[in-house]
Amino acid sequence: MRLLLLACLRAQTGNATTAGRIQDHLEAVGHKCSLKDAFGYENPSEIANLISAEKFEAALAIHLYKGGRLLQGSRIPFGIIFGGTDINEDIKHEEKHRVMGAVLEEARFAVAFTKKMKELAAAEWPGARSKIYIQTQGIMTTPSASFNWKRFLQNAGIPQDTDNLCLFLLICGLRRVKDPLYLVDAFSVTTEHCISWGPHAGAGEWHRREPHIHLVIIGPAYTKRFESELMWKINLKQVDPLFTSEVNEKVNRAPGVHLLQEIPQNDLHAAVKRCFAVVNSSISEGMSAAILEEFVHLSKSLMNDPSLEREIVTQAKAYVKKHHSRECEREAYQNFVLRLQ
């Protein structure tokens, strides 16, 4: 079939990565799958013209609102893949909620990455429960063999002569919902608070007490180039220019915390291999404040117990192999598309 796949294709983001992987799955069995950026279209009539011009027979969209709204009233069958922020954030807005409900009613099927995501959607639109399927995301890493670790550290402003360098990596766009500043105070007391250091100082002194400990935040930020990518159509909600400035200012005042622009995925995978641990934070995903209070203590326990580290890594690999198989994901999407014939 000739398939249209709509997604928000900002470079080096999860949506773009997921869309590319799904496109690969479908083309592997002979479908012609055309990937289009949802940011490039304003309304369903533009997509209707595209469908007519390119003779698409069916469509998929990632994100119930951003992608799905463009397929409303479509003359071809389509399926929807929940994006995460649609169910966690957009659902709170009355008009978006109405649109998403209408899209879900028209869709042949919907895909949720987790059971929780399915239950949240089904609670809002009970009539759609039977058409929502759970399919976890497939994982495949491709670390670059030519990745230059020393250059990466130099770009981050991390001294390369530091003994026993221990680097924590936080990968996220500079958006408030991703909460990239969540862990900054755990690693470093910002310079204007240095006067408060004393024998009873808290976790924020971690880098000062142990200079080999660093946090690197890496991901897309607001730039002038970003303005040219049609982001004005969604009020720059993908990356907030004011928040980008706020993050930069705080990081500049926090020794041991570093900020880097996004890098190619293969290099990012290589950086993940070299760092001590990858951390995550997100308001939308409901991270508990208790995690921040215990973060330094738990991290030190992991650093001081190599056997625990090996056990966690071994179990993590087994979990990914069992629950996030790229091959299982491929088979699932190939079967989903059969529902569009």
Side-chain angles (χ1 to χ4, degrees), residues 12 147 152 218-219 260-269 271:
Q12 276 84 50
F147 175 68
F152 177 82
I218 182 168
L260 281 176
Q261 284 283 311
E262 70 266 35
I263 59 177
Q265 187 181 69
N266 291 357
D267 287 343
L268 185 61
H269 289 168

Side-chain angles (χ1 to χ4, degrees), residues 96-333:
K96 290 182 178 180
H97 186 285
R98 183 194 66 77
V99 170
M100 292 192 293
V103 170
L104 195 53
E105 186 174 345
E106 289 185 48
R108 291 277 184 92
F109 64 85
V111 180
F113 296 144
T114 65
K115 181 179 180 180
K116 181 180 179 181
M117 189 182 292
K118 173 178 178 173
E119 291 305 317
L120 286 172
E124 295 296 324
W125 302 288
R129 176 180 287 275
S130 63
K131 67 168 68 174
I132 303 175
Y133 300 86
I134 300 170
Q135 176 55 49
T136 55
Q137 290 183 281
I139 300 296
M140 184 179 75
T141 56
T142 54
S144 170
S146 60
F147 175 68
N148 191 319
W149 177 243
K150 289 185 177 180
R151 186 179 301 160
F152 177 82
L153 296 178
Q154 182 179 19
N155 290 340
I158 298 174
Q160 297 182 35
D161 58 352
T162 302
D163 292 333
N164 302 317
L165 177 66
C166 185
L167 191 152
F168 290 80
L169 191 61
L170 171 59
I171 305 166
C172 68
L174 301 191
R175 301 161 57 196
R176 292 187 188 277
V177 72
K178 292 297 185 182
D179 206 6
L181 295 176
Y182 186 71
L183 288 174
V184 170
D185 290 336
F187 281 86
S188 178
V189 175
T190 52
T191 51
E192 71 269 24
H193 294 142
C194 288
I195 194 171
S196 67
W197 281 344
H200 302 293
E205 284 199 71
W206 194 13
H207 173 73
R208 187 177 73 93
R209 292 180 181 275
E210 301 182 58
H212 65 291
I213 303 293
H214 294 262
L215 170 67
V216 173
I217 303 169
I218 182 168
Y222 175 85
T223 62
K224 286 295 183 182
R225 176 174 62 87
F226 205 70
E227 286 185 323
S228 68
E229 295 185 358
L230 300 174
M231 293 304 299
W232 57 272
K233 292 184 178 179
I234 57 166
N235 299 317
L236 291 169
K237 289 182 180 179
Q238 186 74 6
V239 175
D240 181 341
L242 296 179
F243 185 59
T244 295
S245 177
E246 182 182 325
V247 171
N248 274 286
E249 289 178 8
K250 183 156 187 177
V251 168
N252 287 338
R253 293 182 278 107
V257 181
H258 315 268
L259 184 62
L260 281 176
Q261 284 283 311
E262 70 266 35
I263 59 177
Q265 187 181 69
N266 291 357
D267 287 343
L268 185 61
H269 289 168
V272 167
K273 285 188 67 175
R274 295 295 301 267
C275 72
F276 175 73
V278 176
V279 295
N280 186 31
S281 63
S282 173
I283 295 170
S284 178
E285 292 168 11
M287 297 288 284
S288 168
I291 294 177
L292 177 59
E293 294 166 3
E294 298 177 7
F295 174 76
V296 173
H297 171 72
L298 294 174
S299 296
K300 287 183 176 181
S301 297
L302 184 60
M303 292 163 60
N304 295 327
D305 190 345
S307 63
L308 175 61
E309 180 185 359
R310 287 193 296 270
E311 181 182 354
I312 290 175
V313 170
T314 299
Q315 291 186 8
K317 286 181 177 179
Y319 182 89
V320 169
K321 184 177 181 179
K322 180 178 180 180
H323 297 285
H324 296 277
S325 162
R326 182 181 172 90
E327 290 71 27
C328 289
E329 182 189 51
R330 171 165 292 199
E331 182 180 359
Y333 279 98

Side-chain angles (χ1 to χ4, degrees), residues 37-47 69-70 230 232-233:
D37 191 348
F39 291 149
Y41 303 89
E42 292 192 48
N43 52 60
S45 64
E46 291 186 357
I47 290 297
R69 67 183 181 86
L70 297 171
L230 300 174
W232 57 272
K233 292 184 178 179

